[in-house]
Amino acid sequence: MYPREFEYIAPSDLDEALAALDANPGAKVLAGGMSLLPMMKMRLLSPDAVVDIGRIAGLDQISDNGDSISIGALVTHAEVAASDLVMEHGAALATAASWTGDRQVRNRGTCCGSLVHADVAADQPVAALALAATMVAVSSSGTREIAAADFFVDTMMSALEPNEILTEVRIPKAGPGTASAYDKLGRRGGHTDYAVAGVAASVTRSNGSISAATVAVTGVGSKPVLVGEVADALVGSDGSEAAVEAAAAHATCGIEVLEDLYGSVAYKTHLAQVFTARAVNAALSAAG
Amino acid sequence: MKVSMSVNGKQVSGDAEPRTLLVHFLRDTLGLTGTHVGCESSYCGACTISLDGKAVLSCTMLAAQADGADITTVEGLASNGELHPVQEGFWERHGLQCGFCTPGMIMSAVTLLEENPEPSEDEIRQGIEGNLCRCTGYHNIVRAIEYAGAKMRGEEPAPAEWENA
């Protein structure tokens, strides 16, 4: 099983990569290849050209920008999972990374690649949503910052233009009393494989009550989404078990839950509620 | 296109199409058929190799992406006729039945022990989560990796379970 023929372009810097995308409409960007290459092998996708950004220096860093942290386009899931900086400011994303694919996949697959691939049941997009991440998209005409909330357009479709490269995802640093968490049921049980249902939550606690919350759900609908109703129910509450339970009842508000091989609408709705409560409770305990 | 890399300590190069997968370059161009082609869809791990010290799937990588890389395949483990401790462990603890998953299992185990010289049983099982054994012989594979870990740490491996039976 191998892809159709394509032109392989391996630019050594970003400008060259962007020029290659301009010169080859329909070209795909290759980083770790854990999503792109299987699609090409199965011939679900047959681009005329592949722009391999794997040799571009400077894209493989997790960096501290003062008020935010950045994860570069070539940072792997394994590196995200092992990063103290990500654990401190975006635990939901670090956990998501540690549960993505298997060891071999995490050694090659990238965080930014997973965001752009935008699989309906992927782990990274909901973590990015809950953490209010910013996507930094670069093209030959400049740099565009896209809020995570505007990034996931539909099933496997992001707001990234064909001539843009997601060079980094930026996560605001977690202030005092703020923490995040991710929990899911994987398709092969436990945390293994894509999520049947997965929930990322970020909460801020101040003076004994929840002052801010974001909750995002993956796996159950056609794309990863923020569920404002859960967040609204949490804010102002004391974060007690009953309050979280009540908020979690809204887990699929505004989502058209889709039945698939892994579960019925009722089952997936139930899972979304269960994992919303678990993720919110985990974030609350971490927030102290 | 021409690709060059270090495979099992030797500098090699050869022609590859852009679409040539690394596993086919290893097997067909270099003749290193120890690395197996299993599911071809990133699930089974039979094609696992060590790339710059990390376990990766050679069926889900272009040969072109490996240009300049440092690769170890199962053929590169034994030296001077001596099995690598992980190979010895698979031999001593009956870590294989049909053998199809074995090269990938062994490369996963080798990289795991390089990263974590003293893994718990749970860490070993997590470490081979990306490798499927169609004979379902996981129990002895775990024992084999424990054996290898002990050997590599200079310890005496625990006796085989059947010796106490």
Side-chain angles (χ1 to χ4, degrees):
Chain A
M1 198 162 40
Y2 47 89
R4 287 203 177 90
E5 289 181 15
F6 57 86
E7 187 190 347
Y8 175 76
I9 304 167
S12 50
D13 64 43
L14 194 58
D15 287 341
E16 223 178 287
L18 297 170
L21 289 179
D22 286 337
N24 296 275
K28 295 299 282 185
V29 174
L30 172 67
M34 293 298 102
S35 300
L36 180 62
L37 292 176
M39 288 185 76
M40 288 173 61
K41 287 168 68 179
M42 289 186 281
R43 314 247 172 147
L44 297 170
L45 196 65
S46 297
D48 292 332
V50 167
V51 178
D52 181 0
I53 61 170
R55 292 169 202 285
I56 298 178
L59 296 180
D60 59 350
Q61 301 294 316
I62 298 175
S63 46
D64 187 332
N65 313 319
D67 56 355
S68 65
I69 63 170
S70 285
I71 298 168
L74 295 176
V75 175
T76 63
H77 300 306
E79 290 162 347
V80 170
S83 162
D84 291 338
L85 205 55
V86 180
M87 191 43 104
E88 185 182 349
H89 299 289
L93 187 63
T95 304
S98 74
W99 292 342
T100 297
D102 53 42
R103 208 168 128 244
Q104 289 93 319
V105 168
R106 290 192 293 274
N107 279 339
R108 292 284 301 167
T110 64
C111 176
C112 286
S114 174
L115 293 168
V116 173
H117 185 60
D119 193 283
V120 293
D123 303 305
Q124 279 69 27
V126 273
L129 284 168
L131 294 167
T134 300
M135 313 294 175
V136 181
V138 179
S139 73
S140 55
S141 44
T143 300
R144 202 159 65 99
E145 295 189 357
I146 309 166
D150 300 323
F151 191 72
F152 303 102
V153 177
D154 207 339
T155 303
M156 299 177 97
M157 190 187 289
S158 78
L160 205 68
E161 296 293 335
N163 68 336
E164 286 179 319
I165 295 174
L166 179 64
T167 55
E168 64 181 90
V169 54
R170 208 176 283 159
I171 295 165
K173 279 195 179 172
T178 299
S180 67
Y182 177 61
D183 205 349
K184 75 171 187 185
L185 175 68
R187 289 177 182 170
R188 284 187 279 159
H191 302 127
T192 307
D193 213 330
Y194 282 100
V196 180
V199 179
S202 172
V203 295
T204 305
R205 234 206 250 267
S206 53
N207 302 323
S209 71
I210 299 176
S211 55
T214 47
V215 174
V217 178
T218 189
V220 302
S222 63
K223 61 170 191 168
V225 284
L226 281 168
V227 186
E229 289 80 356
V230 177
D232 291 346
L234 287 170
V235 172
S237 82
D238 59 359
S240 65
E241 208 173 298
V244 172
E245 196 83 3
H250 302 292
T252 55
C253 257
I255 301 176
E256 186 192 350
V257 179
L258 301 172
E259 178 175 314
D260 59 21
L261 284 173
Y262 307 98
S264 64
V265 171
Y267 178 60
K268 290 173 80 171
T269 303
H270 171 72
L271 284 181
Q273 294 171 355
V274 168
F275 282 93
T276 295
R278 287 186 191 177
V280 170
N281 281 325
L284 282 170
S285 343
Chain B
M1 64 188 293
K2 195 160 176 99
V3 292
S4 307
M5 60 194 81
S6 163
V7 179
N8 300 330
K10 271 201 344 227
Q11 201 59 36
V12 297
S13 62
D15 284 320
E17 282 186 74
R19 61 175 171 169
T20 303
L21 301 170
L22 179 57
V23 69
H24 295 308
F25 183 79
L26 292 171
R27 290 174 55 88
D28 304 339
T29 305
L30 302 182
L32 295 171
T33 54
T35 303
H36 285 174
V37 179
C39 70
E40 295 193 75
S41 51
S42 324
Y43 279 103
C44 81
C47 68
T48 300
I49 57 158
S50 167
L51 179 106
D52 298 329
K54 306 265 183 219
V56 305
L57 300 168
S58 61
C59 88
T60 313
M61 242 191 108
L62 305 173
Q65 287 177 285
D67 190 53
D70 186 3
I71 288 170
T72 305
T73 68
V74 70
E75 288 97 337
L77 295 179
S79 61
N80 304 322
E82 291 266 322
L83 292 180
H84 184 283
V86 174
Q87 293 173 306
E88 187 184 316
F90 273 67
W91 174 284
E92 290 293 336
R93 291 296 177 264
H94 295 242
L96 60 142
Q97 291 171 56
C98 83
F100 199 87
C101 72
T102 308
M105 279 290 182
I106 285 180
M107 293 315 297
S108 263
V110 168
T111 51
L112 172 70
L113 290 170
E114 284 167 359
E115 288 163 21
N116 178 2
E118 198 163 1
S120 64
E121 171 162 356
D122 192 49
E123 287 168 336
I124 291 173
R125 289 182 182 274
Q126 293 294 336
I128 58 169
E129 66 175 324
N131 296 77
L132 300 180
C133 167
R134 65 184 181 186
C135 311
T136 73
Y138 296 102
H139 183 84
N140 283 356
I141 290 171
V142 173
R143 297 287 95 86
I145 298 170
E146 287 172 343
Y147 176 101
K151 275 271 178 163
M152 289 165 77
R153 296 191 299 273
E155 298 165 10
E156 187 61 31
E161 286 157 344
W162 49 82
E163 285 169 12
N164 297 326

